[in-house]
Each structure stands twice: as C-alpha cells, then as structure tokens.
Amino acid sequence: MATVSGCSKRETSAPATPAAPEKILRVSQRNEPATLDPQLATLPDEFFIIRALGEGLLTPNPVGGAPLAGVAEKWEVSPDGLTYAFHLRADAKWSNGDPVTADSFAAMIRRATAPGSIAPKAHLFAAVREMKAPDPRTLVISLKQRTADFPAIVASGPWIPAHEKPGIGNGPFVLSEWKPSQHIAVRKNSLYWDAARVKLDGIRFVAMDNGDSEERAFRAGQLDVTMAVPVTKIPGYRAAQPSVLRSVPLAETRYLALNTQRPPLNDPRVRQALALALDRTSLVEKVLQGGQQPAFHFVPAGLGDYAPGLRLTENAAQARELLAAAGFPGGKGFPRLELTAWPVSGGQLEAIQQMWRRELGIEVALAQREARTHLASLAAGDYAVAFMTAIPDCDGASDLFTQLTTGHAANYPHWSNPEYDRLAAAAQWAPAEKILLGDMPLIPLYFNSQNFLVAPRVKNWRADRLWTRFYRDVTVDR
Amino acid sequence: MFRFIARRLLQIVPVLFVIVTATFFMVRFVPGGPFTSEKALPPEILKNIEAHYGLDQPLWRQYLNYLGRIAHGDLGPSFKYANRSVNEIIGDKLPVSLELGGLALAVALALGLPLGVLAAVRRNSWVDYLCSTTGMIGICVPTFVLGPLLVLFFAIHLGWVNASGWYDWTDRVLPALTLGFVYAAYIMRLTRGGMLEVLNQDYIRTARAKGASEARVVLRHALRGGLLPVVSFLGPAIAGILTGSFVIETIFQIPGLGREFVNSAFNRDYTLVLGTVMLYAALLVLCNLAADVVQVWLNPKLKFE
C-alpha cells in the first residue's frame, strides 16, 4: 500500500474556474499509518484517512444515534432481527468507474473472516452467519444471533470495502500522494455518488508525531486542524483565542485495571474500597483540567442506546469499612502495591496515590513504563494495578462489555464471572454493569476528551466521540 | 597504509556479526511485540499474523533465516508498515538524514574552526572570552531548547520560514543551524584547546624566529597539529550527525532515519531496528577509520601499523 503514490491519480475534476485557489484542508496526522487497508488497519489515525477514501454500507451519525445511509440507500431488518437486507445505491462507484456491488461487500466479509485471516478487527464480522447477493444491488446478511449493535458495526471503519487494486476507493476522496513521515494527500473523487456535496478539493494529512511541533506549525499557519493541544497551552488558548480551541468528549474510558488473580486484589472488598476512596471530580477538575468527565461506570452512556442503570457512589467512610472488613483496618498490613502506567501526563497517578494514602492509609508505588512493555504486562497478568484505556470499535455498548467476559484477550483484570458472561452474551447491559460495579474488576476513572485547535478558515469541521471524522461538509475559506 | 585500511575494513564483518546477533536476541527479549496493541488481538488472529511474518518459528531458525537474508542484502519486511521493506525505508530516509547531517556539519565547521583559531590566537582577549562563552552556551543549551526558540522567532514571529517540514531549501535552514550550532561549539572549544597547545611548541617558536608571518604560522604550521583533537572528535560525531538526530527530526518533523531508528524500537519493528543498528554500526566503524587515517596524515609522529 505504501508505494501506491501517484499511480492511481485521476485528474477528472478540473476546477470550474482555473484561477480560483484550491480548497485544501491541512490536518495533522499523529501516527504514520501502517496501512490504509480498512480490513488490516487498527488505529483511529489510520481510519482518519480511510474514512476519506472509502465508504461502508452505513456511516456513523455525526450527532450520535442510529447510523446513516452510506453505500446502502436503505436497509431493512427481519422481525426476528436475524436478517438484514441492504439495498445499494445505483450510482455508487469505485474511483476507477467500476460499480460498487453487493459482491464488493461480500468479498470484504469473506476476506476478514477466512481461515488464516490477519484482520485485527475480525471480531466485528463474527456475527455474520452467511451472505447472499440476489442481485448486484442487494446484500442480504443473516446473523448467528440477534445483535443489537449490528447497524453500528456495519458503520464501523473495518466494514469499508477495499478494492483489490490499492489506491482505488469508493469514498469522497481518492489517494493522490503518500510520502511516508511527510504527508498523505487525497483529492476530491468526482465519481463519488455524493460528490456535489463535497466542498473541499483535497485534504493533506501532514505527519506530526510531536504535540509541541504540531502546535508551532499551527501557529505558523501550516496546519488547519491539530490532533491535540499541549496541556500547558490550554489555559493560554482559553484566554487569548477561545474560538480556535475545541474540547470534545470522547467515548473513551480511562480506568485502573485490578489484577483479580493476585492478593489482596482478589478480594472484591479491597477492589471496592480502592474504587470508592477516589475523588474523580477533583481528579478531572483540579488535576487534568482538560474537559474530561468523571466516570462512575465503565461503559460510556450513549454508546448505541446504552443508558447505565447504576452509578458508583464515592464514599471514603464506606471504603475504610470495606478495607477493615478485608483485614486491613486503617490500611495496616496492606502490602505496597505498584500502580503502573505508560507515560501519562500531568500528575494524575500522583493524585490517585495521594487519595488512597489520605483516605485509606495505604501506600502504592508508581511506575511509568514504555507503552508496549506496559501493555505486555497487562496481557500477561503481570501487574497489580494498571492504568489503562478502553476505546470501543463501534458506536455500541457490546464491544466494551464483551471485553470483560471470561478469557477475552483484552480482559486485563483477568476476571471471570459466569453471571456477567451470561448477561453480556444476552446484551443485558444495565444488569451487566451492575455486576461490574459490585465486583469491581476495574476502577473507572474518567471519560477522556480531545482538546485540539481548528483554524478560523475551517468551516463545518465535525468528528464524533469515536474519532470518526465527517469530511463531506467541511470547507475552508480562501 | 592500504593494508591498514583493508585490514580495518575486514574487521567490519565480525563486528557487524556480533552486533546483529546481540541486537537480534536483545530486541526479542524486550516485553511486547510488533502486534501488541491497546486492545489485545484475539489469540487466533495473533497466531495468523505471527505465522504471516514467520514469527511462529523457533527463534534460532528465525535468526538463521535472517542471517541468510542479510547475506543477500535483504533486510526483510517491516513489521509495522505493511508492504514496505526495511531496504525501502532506509533508502527513503537515509538521504534525508545525510543531507541534514551534511548541512549541519558544514555549519559546525564553518563556525567552529575559525572561531576556535581566533580564540586561541587572541587568547585572554575579549574575542577569546566572547567565543568561549558562546561555545559554552552552545554546549549547554540542548537542541530541544534551541530548535523551538529558533522556530518561535524565525517561523512564528517573523514568518520567514516554515515551523516544520522538509520540502524546499528554506526548510533546511533552521534544522541545519540548530544541529550545527551544538557541534560548532564543541569544535570551537576543541580547536581552541588544540591550537593553544600547539602554539606553545618549539617548532612554532622556530617558525616565528625564521620570520614567518603570523598568518602563516597559524594556518600553515599550527593548524595542522591543532586540529588533532577535533579530528578524533569528528569520527564518531559525523556518524551520529549523518544517521540523523532523533530530536532535530522530531522538532522539525523531518522524514529522516533518526526518527525511524528510535520509533522502530518503540514499535518493536524488529527488522527495522536491526537494519538501522547495522547501518549505524557500519557508519561508526567507517568514520572512525577515516578519523584515524586523517590523524596519521596530520600528525607525523603517528604511523600506520
């Protein structure tokens, strides 16, 4: 994929008035994509570009809620919820002029689910039992079981079809240049079915793997949209240029994984005590100060139609009682646990350490590790308390709940609860979360936010809580 | 002399072999792998991916396969970037680092040598103090402070150049100055020290006694000996400067090899780690060899053994 630069360039969209300057949006790109193949990509950063180059049957809704039409102009569900029929629009085309057909999608699903598949997000196709394409414009998918989030899954990035020839897509833009570690340029795709609505002539994803360099490039006028703002610069922008600073909530839960296999954390009372003793509001308001929201449950509300029933109630006195009942009155005899993390910003670990010391009389040691070393110790269960993040793969609750079922690769607490597994399989989210909060295999801390800069020349910049960007309506002045 | 150079060049082979072997196994014993991610992959997918890259084979066989590969000049596929080979990545990034390094070296020599000579000749005058102080500041101010300061002034305040990027010649100015300034400071101080030592030697007094002009004494007689410490410093320094500076490349977002070198370790991109380490090792050996040759040429007391 990396070497496709220029080989698929189509200069079919001659500007109406040659003198008018092109409308090119310049967006910061934090991670160099490993691939632009929708079925092989893993990072949100890769899907930033993939979303410009391709379109799935459905697309996420920019304001949340049920997905919107994509290549499928309409779709219906059988009454038992097991069969979905997608009707593809007649004018959906690949950037080389070939029609996008039901087979394009069937091939994509077969590819992701074939034995020996190396698609990292193959689990998003796991619900599919079989597909039929009665005609080129109809795709019928039957499911193994009722899957509440199925439309959200269909709208997720890995469900964007890939043409067998790299560099050809079915999205609003088409790849024109890829200079590794410099930039990736895409141009408007005049064959896109909704091309009339696309206002930009192109987007340039500028490689910026450092936050400070990114902010300086923004100030020098080289970038229109950044990925982040250095934490120390937020107050300055708030005071001097509030109009360029954006702060949006994310459906990303930052939590502390507790190793439930290891004493004393194998005692739910100890886990409860650690969770109840924290003051999340002061953590986000006094320490983080970046628009994060305190998390009193694990799965963000509003993922799909998820509404948490129970919320954790912080209570230091109760936490002390629980710790005493577990055999550690006033923290006496409690072993010195280690709280590990990848290098995270701004004193949040120290704040947690201090809250536990103050409220429970226990000491934890802090250790920041290189990211993959940290992730490897989580997966191996070689840790005590670990700072972690959970980002859902689609706009539905199932993904995060499934993650904590017995034996799941991302079940970092190495926790097992048969009742929870049953509820999660039956999509009984609210009771499942109740078990989570009772047994507390992990401590929810806060729902993360994205703080970033958007230049005044950019209009209609839109991104949702799951890092999906909507480029169709974006335009730039000049 | 040719025998000396040939022997040293042959020594590169065992040196590289030891480095490749040590790096190969060290990088494998680091926790985490190229496919470790925040959301751990399902075991069956991970197995397929590892089989795809041959990581499912016993380590000794992977090692032998790798040795066989590099014997043919193939550094293998990158584990991070799908469909890109390490040869391609190095071929893509090394020229950028060489250009940046070459420019920085030019800056360093153009500033460091004349100022060092000047400071030595005008020892304990205001010229010397000014040069020495500037040199000390150059050594003490790290590139990650100097770089952003230059960007703030020239790119954001004056708007003369871009804050980052690597497209036209103006993008070369600030990175080359930032990287060059630090080395200029070292070269300045080493030149001054070397010159001071040489200027006190008998043969300089002899040259003066014979009526040679001051310029001739300094440039013709003293400089040759005065440069010895600079040359031994430049050997390893050039290797470092040419393979890229991670910090400079990050500050200015330059697509050079230094960033790949460091990031490959974070990404556990095993083949890219090995490829860049080998390249760096070979360059280091070659630059040291060049420094030795130049030293013998400059110093008549030394001989090739």
Side-chain angles (χ1 to χ4, degrees), chain B residues 104-124:
Chain B
L105 198 63
V107 169
L109 291 172
L111 283 177
L113 286 181
L115 289 181
V117 171
L118 199 64
V121 172
R122 302 258 179 275
R123 177 151 60 129
N124 293 340

Side-chain angles (χ1 to χ4, degrees), chain A residues 133-283:
Chain A
D135 64 80
R137 285 184 49 206
T138 311
L139 181 69
V140 181
I141 297 178
S142 48
L143 305 180
K144 291 173 186 158
Q145 74 253 337
R146 260 185 99 96
T147 307
D149 291 336
F150 192 65
I153 289 173
V154 174
S156 69
W159 274 70
I160 293 173
H163 197 276
E164 59 264 28
K165 286 201 206 92
I168 293 177
N170 69 332
F173 298 90
V174 62
L175 185 64
S176 64
E177 190 180 28
W178 186 345
K179 296 189 86 171
S181 308
Q182 280 200 283
H183 69 258
I184 292 174
V186 302
R187 298 196 53 78
K188 182 173 174 172
N189 173 13
S190 57
L191 293 177
Y192 177 58
W193 65 269
D194 205 7
R197 190 170 145 189
V198 178
K199 296 176 185 69
L200 290 170
D201 294 306
I203 308 173
R204 181 180 273 243
F205 298 91
V206 185
M208 282 286 162
D209 59 9
N210 174 271
D212 294 308
S213 301
E214 176 186 78
E215 194 264 345
R216 288 193 293 270
F218 180 83
R219 279 164 70 188
Q222 287 174 256
L223 277 180
D224 296 318
V225 182
T226 69
M227 185 66 192
V229 196
V231 183
T232 49
K233 302 263 184 179
I234 293 178
Y237 276 102
R238 246 179 222 149
Q241 284 176 281
S243 62
V244 303
L245 179 68
R246 306 276 173 98
S247 183
V248 296
L250 294 174
E252 175 186 344
T253 315
R254 293 278 167 104
Y255 65 95
L256 296 177
L258 302 174
N259 190 337
T260 60
Q261 300 297 310
R262 201 184 261 195
L265 295 172
N266 56 356
D267 186 335
R269 290 171 299 187
V270 172
R271 303 199 293 259
Q272 277 278 353
L274 293 176
L276 298 186
L278 296 179
D279 178 358
R280 288 161 185 76
T281 309
S282 68
L283 180 69

Side-chain angles (χ1 to χ4, degrees), chain B residues 23-24 27-34 55 62 66 77-80 86 264 267-275:
Chain B
T23 313
F24 184 92
V27 79
R28 292 307 178 94
F29 293 135
V30 174
L55 290 171
Q62 292 183 42
Y66 184 73
S78 161
F79 288 105
K80 154 93 181 168
V86 174
S264 65
N267 291 328
R268 309 287 191 273
D269 195 341
Y270 299 139
T271 42
L272 190 52
V273 171
L274 281 161

